[in-house]
C-alpha cells in the first residue's frame, strides 16, 4: 500500500481510516447502501458498500451472530 500511496505515513493513515470506518459499522451496519445487484459475490448475502476516500469496503451483516463480515477492501480507482 505504501508503494501505491507513495509514503509509508500515508499508508498508515489510510489503514487507520479504513479500520475506524469498518469498526464504526458496529453502531449502524445498515447505513451503507447495497452493492450492485449485478455483482453476485455471495448470492445468499446482501453485500453492502462503505466508501472511504477512494476505497470500497464490501461487507455483509450476519444478523444471527450480530457481526459484520468484511468481504474485501479495494481501491475503486484502479482499473484492471
Amino acid at each position: 500500500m505504501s508503494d501505491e500511496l507513495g509514503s509509508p505515513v500515508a499508508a498508515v493513515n489510510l489503514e487507520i481510516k479504513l479500520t475506524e470506518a469498518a469498526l464504526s459499522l458496529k453502531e449502524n451496519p445498515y447505513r451503507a447502501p447495497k452493492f450492485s445487484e449485478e455483482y453476485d459475490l455471495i448470492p445468499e448475502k446482501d453485500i453492502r458498500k462503505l466508501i472511504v476516500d477512494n476505497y470500497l469496503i464490501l461487507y455483509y451483516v450476519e444478523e444471527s451472530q450480530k457481526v459484520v463480515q468484511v468481504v474485501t477492501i479495494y481501491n475503486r480507482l484502479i482499473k484492471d
Side-chain angles (χ1 to χ4, degrees), residues 8 22 74 80:
Y74 73 96
D80 290 334

Side-chain angles (χ1 to χ4, degrees), residues 54-80:
N54 294 326
Y55 291 81
L56 291 181
I57 299 175
L58 300 183
Y59 70 95
Y60 62 90
V61 179
E62 193 66 65
E63 193 63 46
S64 62
Q65 298 175 359
K66 303 289 186 204
V67 297
V68 170
Q69 182 67 45
V70 173
V71 176
T72 190
I73 300 172
Y74 73 96
N75 186 328
R76 61 191 178 131
L77 297 182
I78 295 177
K79 305 288 185 207
D80 290 334

Side-chain angles (χ1 to χ4, degrees), residues 5-64:
L5 296 173
S7 164
V9 173
V12 169
N13 289 338
L14 178 60
E15 180 182 9
I16 291 168
K17 195 171 194 178
L18 290 169
T19 300
E20 287 175 349
L23 291 173
S24 76
L25 292 170
K26 179 179 180 180
E27 299 302 317
N28 186 1
Y30 296 103
R31 74 174 187 263
K34 289 184 180 179
F35 191 57
S36 176
E37 298 293 329
E38 67 186 71
Y39 299 105
D40 203 14
L41 299 174
I42 305 175
E44 65 277 4
K45 304 292 183 187
D46 286 329
I47 304 295
R48 295 181 173 274
K49 64 178 179 181
L50 182 63
I51 300 170
V52 180
D53 293 340
N54 294 326
Y55 291 81
L56 291 181
I57 299 175
L58 300 183
Y59 70 95
Y60 62 90
V61 179
E62 193 66 65
E63 193 63 46
S64 62

